[in-house]
Amino acid sequence: MTGRRTELVRVAVVGAGGWGAQHARIFAGRSDTELVGVLGRSPERTTARAKEYDTTPYTDLGRLLEEAGPDLVSVCLPNEDHFEVTLRLLRAGANLLVEKPLVFDLDEADRLLAAAADSGSFFAINFNHRYAEPFLRARAAIDAGELGRLTFLTWRFGGEANHGRSPHANLIETQCHGFDLLEHLGGPIKSVMAQMGNATYGAFSTVAIALTFTSGAVGTLLGSYDSSYAYPGTQQVEVNGTLGRAVVDDTVRRFTLSRAGEETRTVWEAGYFNDEARSFHATFDRHVAELLAAFREGAPPPVPATAGRRALQLAQAAISSYESGRRVPTPMPSRGD
């Protein structure tokens, strides 16, 4: 896409499931977008979703593209069913925002990126954790040098299982957020070494991965489908440096900044009336606002689909490490990841 857009951006949502409701909510509610259609597999559920947001239901993708004429398509499908629909949309020249994970197979990821390059499509992925207020503050503290040289980073994230066909669903579809955030904060990961457990339902439902960053920092990623999202502290991220430490609790709950040698600390928590900053769903709204600004300017997306390929690349390296019992080097991310 080239050139600046000034009119309403016409958006279609592909997917009528639970998180797809967030896609529809955002694009139906913004003053600078028009939700021109919702596509789903179930006629009944799709009709109900479209009625809820005063738009048109579709069950045929070709008909959606022809009749609704969207400028942007926002895709939210079951995790392991992304590839075929996304490829078809890219080959049709559609501009896309897709949910994570990009796909489960690197060859499929490369085919999608090649199709986007051929069509010149705007191609973004929703790594919305980056837009949580605590992570914005953590990144700002790192950029300002408040932590000094980074020494180690940790990510812990666990909840109930989302059963799927892949034995590595936890790693690929959920801990992709961890790979993305750790590189977003700490720079490229150059090697991984993994342990995995499959105690509960026959898949690798808990993973523990040791990381080395090109900066010289080290890190850990602990991710589980054997836990519960009801637990306090189900997600915690810690970034340590020679001058300070940043800690994020439960994505949007709390940001804590400590300085080396000081027994006091600075804490951010959303105030009484600041519902937006304490809402996990609002991190997606924040991402969409920045994405639409880039889309209107004809600029690259703030979180390009290549970031989804990079998270998958790191996950595949972790799988290779577990299967071989060795540390596995990871290629450097491509420009724009």
Side-chain angles (χ1 to χ4, degrees):
M1 191 198 84
T2 59
R4 181 188 176 107
R5 290 178 176 269
T6 57
E7 70 279 7
L8 286 176
V9 176
R10 297 169 57 83
V11 183
V13 170
V14 173
W19 190 249
Q22 297 300 323
H23 289 240
R25 171 189 64 81
I26 291 172
F27 293 111
R30 292 183 61 95
S31 62
D32 59 350
T33 57
E34 179 185 0
L35 182 63
V36 295
V38 172
L39 181 138
R41 292 176 294 184
S42 162
E44 295 79 13
R45 185 164 65 177
T46 306
T47 298
R49 176 62 49 75
K51 184 178 180 181
E52 184 179 1
Y53 292 104
D54 192 25
T55 191
T56 305
Y58 293 91
T59 55
D60 181 85
L61 183 60
R63 201 172 145 231
L64 167 71
L65 294 175
E66 181 179 352
E67 294 183 6
D71 302 310
L72 177 70
V73 180
S74 195
V75 181
C76 184
L77 293 169
N79 287 317
E80 295 178 72
D81 297 328
H82 288 189
F83 176 67
E84 290 184 4
V85 171
T86 305
L87 182 62
R88 185 176 171 190
L89 284 163
L90 290 169
R91 285 177 171 172
N95 299 301
L96 300 185
L97 165 63
V98 299
E99 271 301 331
K100 60 80 196 169
L102 184 60
V103 282
F104 278 64
D105 180 88
L106 276 173
D107 288 339
E108 290 183 348
D110 289 337
R111 288 178 65 188
L112 293 180
L113 293 171
D118 289 343
S119 64
S121 295
F122 181 94
F123 192 18
I125 191 167
N126 183 32
F127 279 138
N128 57 301
H129 285 228
R130 293 191 190 192
Y131 291 88
E133 186 66 26
F135 285 123
L136 293 174
R137 290 173 179 263
R139 178 65 184 261
I142 293 167
D143 290 346
E146 294 184 79
L147 273 60
R149 179 181 174 181
L150 300 188
T151 55
F152 71 86
L153 301 89
T154 68
W155 162 281
R156 188 188 74 229
F157 189 33
E160 287 83 4
N162 180 30
H163 297 278
R165 299 187 298 274
S166 170
H168 296 289
N170 167 48
L171 178 63
I172 293 172
E173 70 191 21
T174 294
Q175 306 313 324
C176 59
H177 280 299
F179 286 128
D180 181 69
L181 250 299
L182 288 169
E183 288 205 323
H184 183 60
L185 298 174
I189 293 167
K190 73 174 184 179
S191 69
V192 301
M193 192 164 186
Q195 300 288 349
M196 301 187 184
N198 60 352
T200 57
Y201 65 99
F204 295 105
S205 47
T206 295
V207 299
I209 305 170
L211 313 166
T212 304
F213 293 80
T214 58
S215 67
V218 295
T220 61
L221 183 153
L222 177 62
S224 182
Y225 270 175
D226 300 323
S227 186
S228 175
Y229 295 116
Y231 296 158
T234 194
Q235 187 200 53
Q236 187 176 77
V237 175
E238 181 176 348
V239 184
N240 269 255
T242 54
L243 300 180
R245 179 180 76 165
V247 177
V248 174
D249 292 298
D250 287 337
T251 310
V252 295
R253 188 183 302 276
R254 183 184 302 111
F255 168 76
T256 304
L257 179 63
S258 303
R259 291 175 174 82
E262 295 186 14
E263 295 180 342
T264 59
R265 56 188 177 170
T266 301
V267 178
W268 173 89
E269 293 178 332
Y272 181 79
F273 291 110
N274 192 2
D275 293 336
E276 185 271 344
R278 70 166 61 87
S279 167
F280 177 80
H281 291 147
T283 62
F284 188 16
D285 296 63
R286 290 180 172 199
H287 182 194
V288 166
E290 192 168 311
L291 178 144
L292 286 170
F295 184 71
R296 288 177 177 279
E297 292 292 334
V303 188
T306 51
R309 185 195 187 279
R310 175 60 176 173
L312 178 61
Q313 184 180 48
L314 293 169
Q316 295 291 354
I319 294 167
S320 177
S321 170
Y322 174 72
E323 291 176 345
S324 67
R326 302 183 179 206
R327 181 171 59 212
V328 173
T330 59
M332 287 300 95
S334 61
R335 190 172 182 177
D337 288 3

